[in-house]
Amino acid sequence: MNKIIFASNNINKVVEIRKILEGKYEILTLNEAGLEIDIPEPHDTMELNALEKSMTIYKLKGTSCFAEDSGLEVDALNGEPGVRSARYAGTHGDDARNIEMLLHKMQGIENRNARFRTVISLIENGRNKFFEGICEGTVAYQQKGENGFGYDPIFIPLGLDKTFAECTSEEKNAVSHRKKAINKMIEYMLLKDNISENKK
Ligand code: IMP
């Protein structure tokens, strides 16, 4: 099976992405690729952060790799927390405080429309290609559910009447931003593999 490095050690994302790519690609995390490195996300767009991560790994390893950056964009907060989703309340990855802060800012706000957005940067032979996935939904008034990570307990995807944290991983993966971006990436990779197979 083809191997590809996923420029992340975020176990939640790795588990989700492995499940989506099961049987198609073997995913290596940074640690598994022998890289003890924490890549910063210094930019103010998801595209540039994803590109920074994938290019850093490509320069170190010289093999195909991809990175993603995701976030929750809330209409009533002009797209916040967006690119700052992981560190909205100050400390990177403090999900509980991030949720608390978001619910606080949304107090009294009726427009709860929001979306999760994922941007993937895939580097092959030194060339970058972006893939985007969007999942529309609303911000709940209170937390519900135990599954998932990040803002899952307060995000209700369009078409369901429960939060992502109340969904099974199959239910979340059927509609999630990450799954949509990965599907686009896979379609592109499989198409390309077919074209080069046919040329042989
Ligand atoms: P980053 O992409 O690692 O910079 O962080 C994205 C942040 O967005 C995560 O720490 C979560 O807070 C949030 N996030 C991204 N995707 C999801 C998701 O599928 N569910 C819940 N929160 C998410």
Side-chain angles (χ1 to χ4, degrees), residues 72 74 77 80-81 88 97-107 139 151 154:
L72 179 66
V74 178
L77 301 177
E80 274 187 27
Y88 196 38
R97 286 200 51 227
N98 287 340
I99 287 180
E100 208 178 290
M101 170 119 164
L102 186 62
L103 286 181
H104 180 72
K105 286 204 177 192
M106 299 277 300
Q107 265 174 14
V139 177
Y151 299 89
I154 56 164

Side-chain angles (χ1 to χ4, degrees), residues 109-124:
I109 295 180
E110 274 178 29
N111 176 3
R112 316 291 293 186
N113 293 338
R115 73 206 46 79
F116 272 121
R117 198 161 77 86
T118 289
V119 175
I120 291 178
S121 155
L122 169 70
I123 308 274
E124 291 177 308

Side-chain angles (χ1 to χ4, degrees), residues 40-54:
E41 299 176 343
H43 304 288
D44 55 12
T45 66
M46 291 178 203
E47 282 77 5
L48 286 178
N49 281 336
L51 184 60
E52 173 98 25
K53 290 187 261 190
S54 56

Side-chain angles (χ1 to χ4, degrees), residues 72-168:
L72 179 66
E73 298 174 339
V74 178
D75 285 353
L77 301 177
N78 297 317
E80 274 187 27
V83 73
R84 296 193 303 121
S85 291
R87 57 198 141 90
Y88 196 38
T91 312
H92 191 100
D94 189 339
D95 292 342
R97 286 200 51 227
N98 287 340
I99 287 180
E100 208 178 290
M101 170 119 164
L102 186 62
L103 286 181
H104 180 72
K105 286 204 177 192
M106 299 277 300
Q107 265 174 14
I109 295 180
E110 274 178 29
N111 176 3
R112 316 291 293 186
N113 293 338
R115 73 206 46 79
F116 272 121
R117 198 161 77 86
T118 289
V119 175
I120 291 178
S121 155
L122 169 70
I123 308 274
E124 291 177 308
N125 303 317
R127 278 208 294 270
N128 171 62
K129 192 156 172 58
F130 286 123
F131 304 90
E132 185 189 56
I134 287 175
C135 177
E136 297 285 347
T138 52
V139 177
Y141 285 88
Q142 57 200 17
Q143 305 191 42
K144 270 191 181 169
E146 305 292 329
N147 303 330
F149 69 102
Y151 299 89
D152 280 348
I154 56 164
F155 184 77
I156 303 172
L158 198 69
L160 293 183
D161 56 4
K162 56 185 176 181
T163 68
F164 261 164
E166 294 178 286
C167 291
T168 61

